[in-house]
Amino acid sequence: MSGGHPHDHHHHHGTLTARAAIASVCTATFLLLLKGYASWATGSVAMLGSLADTSLDLLASLVTLYGVRLAAMPADHDHRFGHGKAEALAALFQVALIAVSAVAIGWRAVDRLLNGETTAHAEYGIAVSAIAILTTFGLLAYQRLVIARTGSVAIEADHVHYQTDLLLNLSVIAALVLDQYLGLTGADPIFGIGIALWLAFGAWRASSRAIDQLMDKEWPEEKRRRFLAVAARHPELRGIHDLRTRTSGSRDFVQFHVWVDPAMTVAEAHRVMDEVEHKLEHEFPGCEILIHVDPEGQVDNPGNSLAETDESGLSTGR
């Protein structure tokens, strides 16, 4: 029932998320070339872990770019609710990649601990890691800006990667310094194991929001209450019940029932619903709203505890 405004808002989100994904692909490509050389020159497991992470970042960023472009496509004949869930699928694909790399790096680190190989040319690894840290800081700042404006889960999962990149690069520097300059031979593989565990934790964290979207999880309680408070301001509404909310990509979908005066005409009810929608769209831009009108006292699902909770929280809020 929303007008043209949400579509424009959604298109703007799509442009921002696509730009963030392109920035991410360019950063990963640059870092991949640098770390590939440093990994070959130093033979460091920590650097190899960092290289593997960047390779996955590149692949994941390409998937993210495809995911956000697909998610930004307008609704079509086969996807009437849009393509927002493509973002959550892209995020889950990234999670699978991170988990695989964590296992591979952990295995390589344990192998190094047992065989006791050493690293070389620490200065290359340290210089490359320092450049990577500066580049990553720039990308993270831009991603934070885009996430704040769009709430994109795919960009957020990508953001988690690059946050781990900062720690990875710092740990590579620490591992090389300890291993070569201070003579602690086990330091590099031990840092490698630490990196693998951190990656596994990042994968678990990034998966939860994507799964929430795919499972149509309700909005957080505070956001639901704020939505209800705005909706309940209209003086001609007698109550609100059966509120249902979900998020798909950067789009929100809401449906709820309202009670109105049973004597109200269809035209009057339509006017009231338009006014309620207009206020809600102002407070929750890009939200697609569906309102079902009931005569006061009508309960479609008697005994529905969710309906009762919403209704009692609202009737008093007017």
Side-chain angles (χ1 to χ4, degrees):
M1 287 174 76
S2 302
H5 171 67
H7 175 73
D8 297 339
H9 177 86
H10 181 55
H11 176 71
H12 179 60
H13 275 189
T15 308
L16 278 175
T17 50
R19 276 185 196 155
I22 289 166
S24 175
V25 169
C26 294
T27 305
T29 308
F30 171 65
L31 294 179
L32 185 69
L33 295 169
L34 272 183
K35 290 181 183 179
Y37 170 71
S39 192
W40 169 76
T42 61
S44 157
V45 173
M47 179 54 86
L48 183 70
S50 192
L51 171 67
D53 181 63
T54 301
S55 313
L56 290 166
D57 279 349
L58 177 57
L59 187 55
S61 295
L62 288 167
V63 172
T64 302
L65 179 58
Y66 175 73
V68 296
R69 288 179 86 100
L70 184 60
M73 284 170 65
D76 58 28
H77 183 268
D78 292 327
H79 305 90
R80 295 292 176 91
F81 289 97
H83 299 78
K85 287 188 179 178
E87 275 201 26
L89 290 170
L92 279 186
F93 179 73
Q94 292 179 55
V95 165
L97 289 177
I98 302 170
V100 169
S101 74
V103 171
I105 294 159
W107 176 80
R108 174 83 180 108
V110 170
D111 184 54
R112 268 290 296 278
L113 264 180
L114 298 174
N115 296 327
E117 298 164 37
T118 53
T119 57
H121 300 299
E123 63 281 2
Y124 294 161
I126 291 167
V128 163
S129 297
I131 293 168
I133 286 169
L134 291 173
T135 312
T136 307
F137 260 121
L139 180 68
L140 285 172
Y142 181 56
Q143 284 182 331
R144 266 197 299 275
L145 189 75
V146 172
I147 292 164
R149 290 174 69 177
T150 66
S152 165
V153 275
I155 300 300
E156 193 168 321
D158 219 28
H159 189 67
V160 171
H161 283 181
Y162 287 101
Q163 279 178 323
T164 63
D165 255 19
L166 284 180
L167 287 168
L168 285 173
N169 291 313
L170 287 168
S171 62
V172 169
I173 292 172
L176 288 167
V177 168
L178 291 170
D179 201 80
Q180 254 181 76
Y181 298 128
L182 301 177
L184 298 170
T185 15
D188 182 59
I190 285 168
F191 269 90
I193 291 169
I195 289 167
L197 292 172
W198 176 256
L199 280 172
F201 171 69
W204 174 78
R205 205 171 51 167
S207 67
S208 58
R209 263 199 78 195
I211 290 167
D212 285 349
Q213 281 206 9
L214 291 171
M215 294 298 294
D216 286 337
K217 188 178 178 181
E218 284 287 327
W219 288 357
E221 194 54 39
E222 187 274 330
K223 188 175 176 181
R224 278 170 57 91
R225 287 189 186 284
R226 197 159 57 86
F227 184 90
L228 288 169
V230 174
R233 278 182 209 150
H234 199 286
E236 289 175 88
L237 294 191
R238 303 282 177 89
I240 298 173
H241 58 112
D242 281 339
L243 173 73
R244 293 177 190 181
T245 60
R246 68 186 179 93
T247 300
S248 179
S250 55
R251 298 188 75 178
D252 286 326
F253 294 87
V254 184
Q255 60 186 70
F256 57 94
H257 290 219
V258 294
W259 281 330
V260 295
D261 181 349
M264 191 179 273
T265 65
V266 172
E268 284 172 336
H270 186 269
R271 173 189 56 78
V272 170
M273 295 315 112
D274 274 353
E275 288 168 6
V276 171
E277 271 187 26
H278 184 70
K279 280 183 185 171
L280 287 168
E281 279 170 13
H282 179 69
E283 297 273 340
F284 297 84
C287 190
E288 196 162 303
I289 301 160
L290 182 67
I291 307 174
H292 179 86
V293 182
D294 287 328
E296 188 175 7
Q298 167 79 30
V299 178
D300 294 333
N301 302 308
N304 179 340
S305 58
L306 180 66
E308 285 162 17
T309 308
D310 287 345
E311 171 218 322
S312 61
L314 278 163
S315 316
T316 53
R318 285 190 298 109

